[in-house]
């Protein structure tokens, strides 16, 4: 599995060998993935901010390595690391040009990680309407006064500028955000806006490390894990159980970030070809574990009277919103093991859903399929040829914060669980993944023998 940021055996000693020697960090090793939002907590002086300063190069570690995207960055200076790292400071006078105007700061931020000439024309050629709209989200009055100098602003106004500068990065390639006490000394409304801006970046694939003492954040569920420091050591590194799974809205909105087949916005081309080759085209179809509805929408478009079921109410609500076919699709919140219907279906599709079912329940599930399938119907189901391919799929799921392990079912397993009057009439290979990781599964077309 690839990591966005690796911290390996980091030690930091201030004033080494002196009477006032301080061992600020002791053998810190951590791995972080893109899209994680991690809270760093602990008492003042426990090493949290020191770690951020080592990551972005303001402090040199005594020992250990900092690795970003597989590359050691220990020899890079602060300005060189800025290509990969964006920083929010607790002191709102840092991270901005104090003697420049809001507009000038935003013009520079818009050019971050690009080559440009620093001339007076930079501001004149900028999208000032965009600047005003962004600032208006955080402070309406400031949006009408973009020529005010930063040093003349109050701390709250400077925070509004800092959040505006951060928002300008949201459509750029995901990077690393280091935020030191981003909600400290802010009123509740601005504190929420500040953290929401960070949370939204994480959903776009940014790795966000947030130093905080804010109990509202710590006790909330908008983070993937909490790492607690004490006297330079990690004393807790806990995943946030209630936030392991991204919401379906997040999966749809940021589908380019998640490498999962049931998150894609369109039907997988191999599955499309399999459906197109069937000798039926306008019967009744059931899409099990319909997820974002890409399969059920395709079935409706090509003429099937379609039902889609998923155990998630949120997924079903989203499917109804995304239905652009002009056809009625009967979406239902239902457990696939106990789902019943007065209809017999000519086509039932299970695209990877079966592997989320526990082995003790899978025979009950397939018995239900048998009862729902018409005598001349087809059952399309995905399977793995061997367990190491299912492990690769598990790795892809885990790298995208879906930590429920799938179960490995082979073609033989599925046929054994079904009655002996089912046969596989076709088998198609399916490759899913990206340049870093992929897995191979098969789509089976199964039919009753009458």
């Amino acid at each position: 599995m690839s990591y966005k940021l690796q911290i390996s055996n980091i030690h930091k000693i201030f004033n080494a060998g002196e009477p006032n020697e301080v061992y600020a960090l002791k053998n810190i090793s951590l791995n972080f993935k893109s899209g994680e939002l991690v809270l760093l907590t602990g008492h003042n002086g426990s090493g949290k901010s020191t770690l951020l300063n080592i990551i972005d190069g303001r402090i040199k570690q005594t020992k250990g390595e900092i690795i970003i995207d597989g590359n050691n960055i220990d020899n890079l200076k602060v300005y060189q690391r800025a290509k990969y790292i964006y920083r929010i400071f607790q002191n709102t006078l840092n991270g901005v040009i104090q003697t420049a105007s809001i507009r000038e700061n935003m013009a520079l931020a818009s050019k971050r990680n690009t080559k440009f000439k620093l001339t007076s024309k930079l501001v004149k050629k900028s999208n000032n309407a965009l600047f005003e709209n962004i600032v208006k989200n955080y402070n309406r009055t400031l949006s009408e006064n973009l020529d005010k100098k930063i040093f003349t602003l109050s701390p709250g106004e400077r925070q509004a500028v800092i959040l505006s500068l951060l928002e300008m990065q949201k459509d750029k390639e995901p990077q690393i955000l280091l935020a030191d006490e981003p909600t400290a000394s802010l009123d509740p409304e601005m504190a929420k806006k500040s953290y929401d801006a960070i949370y939204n970046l994480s959903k776009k694939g940014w790795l966000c490390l947030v130093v905080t003492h804010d109990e509202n954040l710590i006790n909330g569920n908008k983070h993937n894990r909490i790492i607690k420091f004490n006297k330079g050591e990690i004393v807790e590194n806990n995943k946030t159980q209630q936030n392991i799974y991204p919401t379906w809205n997040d999966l749809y909105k940021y589908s380019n970030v998640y490498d999962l087949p049931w998150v894609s916005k369109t039907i997988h081309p191999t599955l499309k070809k399999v459906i197109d080759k069937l000798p039926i085209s306008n019967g009744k179809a059931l899409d099990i574990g319909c997820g974002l509805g890409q399969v059920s929408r395709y079935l409706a478009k090509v003429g099937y009277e379609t039902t889609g079921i998923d155990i998630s109410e949120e997924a079903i609500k989203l499917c109804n919103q995304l239905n652009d076919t002009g056809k009625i699709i009967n979406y239902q919140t239902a457990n696939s093991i106990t789902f019943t219907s007065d209809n017999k279906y000519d086509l039932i599709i299970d695209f990877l859903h079966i592997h989320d079912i526990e082995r003790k329940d899978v025979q009950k599930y397939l018995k239900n399929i048998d009862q729902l399938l018409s005598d001349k119907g087809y059952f399309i189901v995905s399977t793995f040829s061997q367990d190491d391919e299912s492990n690769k799929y598990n790795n892809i799921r885990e790298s995208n914060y879906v930590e429920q392990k799938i179960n490995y079912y082979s073609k033989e397993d599925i046929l054994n669980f079904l009655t002996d009057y089912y046969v596989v009439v076709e088998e198609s290979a399916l490759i899913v993944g990206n340049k870093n990781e992929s897995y191979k599964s098969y789509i089976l077309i199964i039919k009753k023998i009458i």
Side-chain angles (χ1 to χ4, degrees):
M1 184 187 302
S2 58
Y3 293 102
K4 184 67 178 178
L5 172 65
Q6 293 172 275
I7 297 169
S8 179
N9 303 314
I10 290 293
H11 295 256
K12 179 57 186 177
I13 303 173
F14 291 103
N15 308 316
E18 301 295 328
N20 59 342
E21 176 181 292
V22 176
Y23 213 137
L25 290 173
K26 303 174 184 178
N27 195 28
I28 303 298
S29 291
L30 294 163
N31 294 323
F32 301 97
K33 296 175 286 189
S34 293
E36 275 196 284
L37 199 168
V38 182
L39 303 185
L40 308 181
T41 69
H43 60 79
N44 289 334
S46 60
K48 310 180 298 298
S49 296
T50 300
L51 182 61
L52 295 196
N53 287 329
I54 287 174
I55 293 171
D56 85 346
R58 290 167 203 279
I59 295 176
K60 177 69 176 176
Q61 66 266 32
T62 305
K63 181 183 177 183
E65 292 181 313
I66 302 294
I67 297 170
I68 294 179
D69 292 330
N71 300 311
N72 187 302
I73 65 164
D74 290 334
N75 293 326
L76 298 185
K77 299 182 184 300
V78 175
Y79 75 89
Q80 293 172 314
R81 299 187 192 200
K83 178 180 179 180
Y84 314 101
I85 297 169
Y86 194 96
R87 186 81 188 260
I88 293 179
F89 299 88
Q90 184 173 1
N91 185 342
T92 54
L93 285 172
N94 293 333
V96 289
I97 302 174
Q98 299 176 30
T99 56
S101 68
I102 300 171
R103 194 188 311 276
E104 288 165 338
N105 272 273
M106 297 189 76
L108 287 171
S110 69
K111 298 297 183 181
R112 184 170 178 269
N113 280 349
T114 64
K115 292 183 178 180
F116 65 94
K117 290 184 178 181
L118 187 58
T119 68
S120 58
K121 294 181 180 179
L122 177 63
V123 174
K124 292 179 182 178
K125 292 182 178 180
S126 296
N127 188 341
N128 288 291
L130 174 65
F131 295 172
E132 291 173 10
N133 286 332
I134 291 175
V135 177
K136 189 183 296 182
N137 292 330
Y138 302 104
N139 189 306
R140 179 176 291 273
T141 302
L142 277 187
S143 69
E144 299 168 357
N145 295 276
L146 295 185
D147 292 316
K148 292 185 73 172
K149 302 293 186 184
I150 298 294
F151 73 88
T152 67
L153 305 179
S154 69
E157 289 174 327
R158 291 198 296 269
Q159 185 69 18
V161 173
I162 286 168
L163 293 177
S164 300
L165 299 179
L166 179 63
E167 186 170 331
M168 296 183 70
Q169 310 305 313
K170 67 180 182 180
D171 294 323
K172 297 185 178 181
E173 183 178 350
Q175 298 171 358
I176 298 171
L177 172 66
L178 306 180
D180 200 347
E181 299 286 2
T183 62
S185 304
L186 298 178
D187 63 64
E189 182 182 1
M190 184 56 76
K192 183 180 185 302
K193 287 182 177 181
S194 180
Y195 192 69
D196 283 350
I198 295 170
Y199 177 76
N200 290 336
L201 274 185
S202 74
K203 291 305 178 183
K204 286 212 162 190
W206 283 60
L207 165 60
C208 302
L209 305 185
V210 180
V211 170
T212 188
H213 292 95
D214 190 332
E215 292 296 329
N216 290 325
L217 303 187
I218 295 168
N219 294 326
N221 63 358
K222 285 188 171 182
H223 48 266
N224 297 94
R225 55 176 160 150
I226 297 175
I227 300 173
K228 186 175 182 179
F229 288 77
N230 184 42
K231 297 180 180 179
E233 297 181 282
I234 295 172
V235 293
E236 292 180 20
N237 185 3
N238 297 324
K239 293 179 180 176
T240 308
Q241 294 301 315
Q242 65 265 43
N243 200 43
I244 286 177
Y245 299 97
T247 67
W248 279 102
N249 278 299
D250 288 337
L251 290 173
Y252 176 73
K253 190 174 181 181
Y254 306 116
S255 59
N256 60 313
V257 175
Y258 299 98
D259 296 319
L260 300 168
W262 35 272
V263 171
S264 63
K265 294 181 180 180
T266 57
I267 188 171
H268 193 285
T270 301
L271 181 56
K272 177 181 179 295
K273 287 180 182 178
V274 168
I275 293 171
D276 290 345
K277 286 195 292 186
L278 292 175
I280 53 174
S281 61
N282 57 358
K284 288 184 169 66
L286 175 63
D287 179 15
I288 297 178
C290 56
L292 290 175
Q294 63 272 44
V295 175
S296 51
R297 288 196 297 276
Y298 182 74
L299 291 171
K301 285 178 181 178
V302 296
Y304 287 93
E305 184 182 328
T306 306
T307 296
I309 65 169
D310 198 286
I311 200 168
S312 167
E313 291 184 10
E314 184 191 9
I316 293 300
K317 183 178 179 180
L318 192 57
C319 283
N320 280 313
Q321 292 173 357
L322 295 174
N323 183 11
D324 59 355
T325 63
K327 308 286 182 64
I328 295 174
I329 301 177
N330 179 25
Y331 283 118
Q332 300 182 36
T333 303
N335 186 317
S336 60
I337 297 173
T338 58
F339 174 72
T340 59
S341 172
D342 294 333
N343 292 318
K344 289 283 187 177
Y345 294 95
D346 303 299
L347 174 61
I348 298 177
I349 295 182
D350 178 337
F351 185 42
L352 294 168
H353 165 74
I354 190 172
H355 303 284
D356 285 322
I357 299 175
E358 296 290 341
R359 188 164 285 270
K360 64 182 178 64
D361 294 322
V362 75
Q363 191 162 11
K364 185 190 301 183
Y365 167 68
L366 288 171
K367 184 178 180 181
N368 200 32
I369 296 295
D370 178 43
Q371 293 173 346
L372 293 168
L373 197 64
S374 68
D375 288 344
K376 296 183 179 181
Y378 291 85
F379 177 39
I380 295 179
V381 63
S382 60
T383 183
F384 293 98
S385 59
Q386 50 193 7
D387 200 21
D388 63 342
E389 295 297 331
S390 66
N391 285 335
K392 290 178 184 178
Y393 181 38
N394 265 326
N395 288 340
I396 293 176
R397 285 163 63 106
E398 182 180 349
S399 69
N400 291 285
Y401 320 114
V402 180
E403 303 209 349
Q404 175 188 347
K405 296 294 185 183
I406 67 162
N407 300 281
Y408 160 58
Y409 298 121
S410 65
K411 174 174 72 174
E412 290 71 26
D413 285 333
I414 293 172
L415 287 175
N416 286 337
F417 287 135
L418 286 165
T419 57
D420 56 8
Y421 53 88
Y422 280 90
V423 294
V424 174
V425 296
E426 188 167 328
E427 188 171 341
S428 298
L430 179 146
I431 306 294
V432 173
N434 57 28
K435 62 182 180 181
N436 297 319
E437 280 184 295
S438 63
Y439 72 89
K440 184 177 184 180
S441 69
Y442 289 89
I443 296 176
L444 307 180
I445 303 179
I446 299 176
K447 194 176 188 305
K448 284 183 179 180
I449 303 174
I450 304 299

